[in-house]
Amino acid sequence: MLLIACVAIAAGVFAGSLRIGDKSNNASSDQPTEQHAQLSKIESQLENSTLFPDDFKSVPPFSLLQAGNKPLTEADLKGKWTVLFFGFTNCPDICPITLAEMNGVVTQFANETLPMPQVWFITVDPARDTVEKMTEYVAYFNEEFIGGSGDLTDITELTRSLGIVASYTASSSGDNTYSVDHTASMLVIDPELRVRAKLNAPHKADTIAADLKTLLTNFN
Amino acid sequence: MRNLIIFLGLWSASVFATDFPMIIDPVVSATPPGAKVTAGYLTLVNESDKDIIINGAYSPTIAKVEIHLSRIKNDVASMEKLDSVTVKSGEKLEFKHGSYHLMLMELTGPLKENDLVDVILSTSIGDMLIEMPVKKPGMHTEGSSHGEMSKDDKAKMAIESHENMKKDGDMHTGQTKTVH
């Protein structure tokens, strides 16, 4: 840990001296280079996440539902860090394990001064996943987690804008059910609604906690 | 190993006990409220000289049990039903998170921690009944951060527990038996 800090300080000093040099030579390309260097530095500290540039993408306005049929909108993202995961409750393997790992992350943040990001699990299968069902489902893993549902059109609009995939396939079981293939990674949204990073699968509590701490420390 | 296999009828007595795969760490994920599906995990170790094909699975208490394969490809999680899987001679096959799993479907009620679920695997050498304990998801999975043992540790522990069973003749824990 100490070593990382030392390397980070050294890298910072080095980057600082480079920046001064850059300014005198080429002022026009200074800012992107600086941002690039900063992002590369943060990215190198991330264990299993992809970092996006500052201006990559923001969460657009949306209108979904949460516990008690209360609205769940982009306003609920403001001022807090959020981990956003899309899935469905008829998912026996990936979704429950991912939420269980996220509960493990909460445990790892218990003694942190950094705030634990809120955790949202939004269904991509609202026909079967009502808001009541989502609420009960997420509470099983952690009472603080937020479950979201809504109209399929609204959900699709949100997933598309965020680059989240949800594809509905006939169940190979031969009955009239269907399965949903969906993006396995989770998005990290900053308090100003910017999509900052993607937590890549496979999800493990230790790695996610470490990466979230890196993001929060660098961008707070 | 031999002690773990209970012969329930004369027919199955013709099958050599050692032909059946050893079962390590069978577990079913407890279900969140409202969940209609869940996953079962286990490791099969085939110490025999023949490949063993698992052709399907069923349960006296669960409406439908299937063999599924989860995959994450290009960041998309998908799942497919498999008609069969083969446990090759001298090898092991892991049913684990993000890979092969038993999909327990059309659940009519919650599966709670410490429940036991009987699942029967239909194999090329006969059916085998596996008693699967129910545990909270994430507390038992491959690569989770909850003090997972290495595979070697697991295998060692399984062998030790078999040895102990031989000694005290306990047939009840982690048992494997043939059924018709």
Side-chain angles (χ1 to χ4, degrees):
Chain A
M1 198 62 211
L2 186 64
L3 181 67
I4 293 170
C6 292
V7 172
I9 290 165
V13 170
F14 184 58
S17 61
L18 266 186
R19 236 176 276 147
I20 294 163
D22 282 351
K23 261 176 198 161
S24 57
N25 291 333
N26 191 348
S28 61
S29 67
D30 178 45
Q31 213 180 348
T33 309
E34 194 179 316
Q35 198 205 47
H36 182 78
Q38 170 74 0
L39 288 179
S40 299
K41 198 184 89 188
I42 298 165
E43 184 139 51
S44 69
Q45 295 168 27
L46 294 171
E47 292 182 26
N48 192 26
S49 303
T50 306
L51 193 65
F52 297 120
D54 287 350
D55 56 356
F56 171 63
K57 187 181 284 186
S58 288
V59 181
F62 62 89
S63 177
L64 301 177
L65 293 170
Q66 61 175 317
N69 274 317
K70 284 189 293 184
L72 182 67
T73 73
E74 74 283 359
D76 298 297
L77 294 169
K78 273 178 194 154
K80 297 167 192 168
W81 284 83
T82 305
V83 174
L84 192 51
F85 182 46
F86 293 88
F88 65 121
T89 71
N90 270 279
C91 164
D93 184 41
I94 304 286
C95 304
I97 304 285
T98 301
L99 291 171
E101 292 295 327
M102 282 312 298
N103 185 50
V105 176
V106 174
T107 311
Q108 297 200 23
F109 265 78
N111 296 321
E112 278 290 325
T113 46
L114 294 166
M116 172 68 200
Q118 51 176 349
V119 177
W120 287 22
F121 182 51
I122 309 288
T123 185
V124 286
D125 184 18
R128 292 185 292 193
D129 292 338
T130 60
V131 66
E132 292 81 10
K133 198 166 176 179
M134 291 304 290
T135 305
E136 279 190 329
Y137 192 89
V138 295
Y140 177 78
F141 297 95
N142 189 300
E143 296 277 343
E144 302 289 317
F145 290 179
I146 292 171
S149 187
D151 287 340
L152 182 58
T153 320
D154 294 333
I155 292 169
T156 307
E157 206 173 299
L158 180 62
T159 53
R160 278 199 185 144
S161 68
L162 295 174
I164 298 292
V165 174
S167 147
Y168 306 86
T169 56
S171 166
S172 46
S173 306
D175 44 25
N176 289 322
T177 60
Y178 57 93
S179 187
V180 190
D181 296 352
H182 60 95
T183 296
S185 58
M186 297 187 275
L187 297 177
V188 182
I189 314 295
D190 80 6
E192 284 155 43
L193 277 62
R194 284 177 294 205
V195 181
R196 275 292 180 185
K198 196 173 78 161
L199 303 166
N200 295 318
H203 298 300
K204 288 169 192 161
D206 288 347
T207 314
I208 296 170
D211 284 357
L212 287 174
K213 285 172 194 175
T214 299
L215 291 167
L216 266 67
T217 306
N218 282 284
F219 292 116
N220 256 355
Chain B
M1 175 79 193
R2 213 162 280 154
N3 273 5
L4 292 179
I5 298 180
I6 302 165
F7 295 101
L8 295 182
L10 286 173
W11 173 82
S12 45
S14 63
V15 178
F16 282 112
T18 46
D19 282 350
F20 280 92
M22 180 166 68
I23 303 295
I24 300 172
D25 284 350
V27 66
V28 165
S29 292
T31 54
K36 297 280 181 237
V37 298
T38 193
Y41 307 97
L42 73 161
T43 299
L44 296 151
V45 183
N46 181 1
E47 293 169 321
S48 78
D49 55 6
K50 287 191 196 113
D51 292 353
I52 297 169
I53 302 160
I54 316 289
N55 295 305
Y58 59 100
S59 165
T61 53
I62 310 289
K64 195 188 272 188
V65 183
E66 294 180 346
I67 300 165
H68 279 232
L69 177 61
S70 292
R71 276 204 193 100
I72 297 175
K73 196 183 171 190
N74 295 330
D75 196 21
V76 175
S78 64
M79 204 168 60
E80 70 174 301
K81 184 196 170 197
L82 301 177
D83 292 331
S84 67
V85 286
T86 301
V87 193
K88 289 195 172 146
S89 168
E91 293 186 9
K92 67 183 171 189
L93 183 72
E94 290 177 84
F95 282 63
K96 61 182 183 182
H97 170 50
S99 178
Y100 298 105
H101 59 273
L102 293 169
M103 172 120 160
L104 281 56
M105 305 165 75
E106 299 174 18
L107 303 178
T108 50
L111 293 176
K112 298 194 179 92
E113 276 182 278
N114 304 321
D115 284 354
L116 287 171
V117 178
D118 282 346
V119 171
I120 295 132
L121 296 183
S122 301
T123 81
S124 50
I125 55 165
D127 285 1
M128 49 190 307
L129 173 61
I130 304 162
E131 206 171 58
M132 306 186 77
V134 178
K135 291 182 189 167
K136 197 151 180 169
M139 298 308 284
H140 53 73
T141 50
E142 178 66 23
S144 73
S145 31
H146 306 287
E148 183 72 1
M149 285 188 290
S150 74
K151 310 251 173 25
D152 288 345
D153 288 344
K154 279 185 194 170
K156 198 174 146 207
M157 200 177 97
I159 290 161
E160 280 168 2
S161 75
H162 290 180
E163 294 298 325
N164 291 339
M165 278 178 213
K166 271 185 200 166
K167 261 181 260 162
D168 59 28
D170 180 3
M171 297 282 196
H172 301 291
T173 314
Q175 63 190 337
T176 303
K177 42 194 171 181
T178 59
V179 294
H180 289 296

